[in-house]
Amino acid sequence: MAHFEDLRQAAFQAEKDLNSYQAKQGLGKKSDSTLESGVDEMVDKKFSEPTGLKYGPGSTASGSDHRKIPEDEGGTRDDRNRLPKAEHFQGSGGPETSVKQDSENRPGDQDALNLQDMKRRGIAS
């Protein structure tokens, strides 16, 4: 139970630090790399575990299918040394399976196809 309380206290303190006026306004002395990148790497020192701070292209979790998957997240370069895009990782079954699952999980939704529409498109038989 003491371990849980330590974690709770650390989370509370981290939230308090991040919600401070100074943190929100970016006040205080900044290093050259902070000024250049806009990311304060000293925040990493406030946590006992490394945070894995990233900035620049591909650093955000985006819903876009055009986002490149970095090598440290499982992206492998092709013959032309390009990183794969998120659209290449749709999961099993392809788009037809995705449409069919959406239609089954959300019956009556305007964006979901009904059985007749799925038959017309060749998704269902």
Side-chain angles (χ1 to χ4, degrees):
M1 191 68 164
H3 180 67
F4 176 76
E5 186 60 31
D6 292 341
L7 292 174
R8 192 185 70 72
Q9 195 62 29
F12 176 78
Q13 188 60 43
E15 184 178 357
K16 187 176 172 184
D17 289 346
L18 293 172
N19 278 328
S20 71
Y21 180 77
Q22 288 79 10
K24 288 179 181 179
Q25 298 300 317
L27 303 176
K29 187 177 178 188
K30 295 177 181 70
S31 67
D32 290 340
S33 64
T34 300
L35 293 172
E36 185 178 306
S37 68
V39 177
D40 185 4
E41 69 276 357
M42 294 306 289
V43 171
D44 198 30
K45 305 264 188 253
K46 293 183 179 185
F47 300 96
S48 60
E49 299 285 323
T51 59
L53 182 69
K54 286 197 226 174
Y55 57 90
S59 63
T60 59
S62 169
S64 170
D65 281 347
H66 303 296
R67 178 184 174 284
K68 294 191 185 300
I69 307 297
E71 290 177 287
D72 62 339
E73 292 181 14
T76 54
R77 295 190 179 270
D78 65 4
D79 297 339
R80 296 169 65 187
N81 202 28
R82 296 177 300 188
L83 287 171
K85 294 184 179 180
E87 64 191 9
H88 299 128
F89 297 94
Q90 293 283 332
S92 61
E96 296 86 7
T97 305
S98 173
V99 168
K100 190 173 181 181
Q101 286 175 344
D102 285 346
S103 299
E104 290 169 356
N105 294 336
R106 300 183 337 225
D109 188 346
Q110 290 180 336
D111 295 330
L113 299 176
N114 60 26
L115 183 60
Q116 187 175 7
D117 290 333
M118 286 193 290
K119 285 181 180 178
R120 218 178 282 134
R121 293 186 183 196
I123 297 171
S125 52

